[in-house]
């Protein structure tokens, strides 16, 4: 049986589940505005292909205050 050491640094939401990662499509190589966001990385990457020079970055949705 493995130890739980690796999961101690994982961010959790208030209900005890792992926090969902939000994928944002950011224009101008990450310096512009957020054009699209989704919890699905594949969808964000597909949308980013429509915007030349855009990037996909991850943002933890638990960091909203």
């Amino acid at each position: 049986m493995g130890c739980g050491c690796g999961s101690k640094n994982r961010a959790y939401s208030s209900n005890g589940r792992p926090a969902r990662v939000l994928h944002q499509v950011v224009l101008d190589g990450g310096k512009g505005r957020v054009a699209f966001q989704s919890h699905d990385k594949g969808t964000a990457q597909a949308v980013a292909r429509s915007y030349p020079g855009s990037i996909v970055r991850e943002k933890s949705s638990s960091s909203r205050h």
Side-chain angles (χ1 to χ4, degrees), residues 36-50:
F36 179 79
Q37 56 188 8
S38 173
H39 290 288
D40 183 42
K41 185 176 183 178
T43 302
Q45 289 173 336
V47 171
R49 286 192 289 268
S50 300

Side-chain angles (χ1 to χ4, degrees), residues 3-22:
C3 74
C5 301
S7 63
K8 287 184 181 178
N9 295 329
R10 188 180 313 167
Y12 283 89
S13 62
S14 61
N15 62 4
R17 294 182 184 168
R20 293 183 69 185
V21 175
L22 189 64

Side-chain angles (χ1 to χ4, degrees), residues 24-35 53-55 57:
Q24 297 178 326
V25 176
V26 186
L27 304 178
D28 296 326
K31 297 178 183 177
R33 69 177 181 87
V34 175
S54 65
I55 64 163
R57 73 175 178 201

